Amino acid sequence: MSTARAGGLVELLLDAGFDGFSMAINRVMARDPQPRPIGFRWAGPSGRTLTVWHGEHYGFGHLLGIPLVQKPSGWAYDLDAAHSKVQAYITGLNG
């Protein structure tokens, strides 16, 4: 995990009780830091750090088969159907 430096936002999040942070930037609207996905420690001015996950695009789950599906009980995620695609993605991240 690499370390990134930033301003007071880290301090505010830590003081508010956050112990981690996840983001997924929309590449259509703005360029994002690369590589991604990646985890890192975001350091505030005090030296305290927040664990951060910079993941795929926020809609990436749909590519892995995690859309909402309509069931008799209402709308739900079909995680069982997505399991093999998610496992293959994780295997690819591990090299």
Side-chain angles (χ1 to χ4, degrees):
M1 211 179 263
S2 63
T3 303
R5 287 243 172 240
L9 182 58
V10 172
E11 308 297 337
L12 289 170
L13 291 170
L14 289 168
D15 291 345
F18 286 78
D19 58 7
F21 181 77
S22 177
M23 63 182 151
I25 298 171
N26 182 338
R27 289 181 182 165
V28 173
M29 302 302 290
R31 295 187 59 175
D32 63 330
Q34 295 293 320
R36 88 175 192 186
I38 190 170
F40 61 94
R41 298 295 226 167
W42 194 4
S46 70
R48 296 186 301 163
T49 62
L50 184 67
T51 301
V52 177
W53 178 250
H54 174 46
E56 300 290 356
H57 181 279
Y58 58 81
F60 187 73
H62 291 288
L63 297 175
L64 299 178
I66 311 177
L68 284 171
V69 293
Q70 190 167 16
K71 297 186 174 189
S73 60
W75 288 91
Y77 289 101
D78 190 351
L79 298 181
D80 291 332
H83 181 77
S84 63
K85 289 182 180 181
V86 171
Q87 291 301 311
Y89 175 72
I90 291 169
T91 299
L93 290 176
N94 291 327

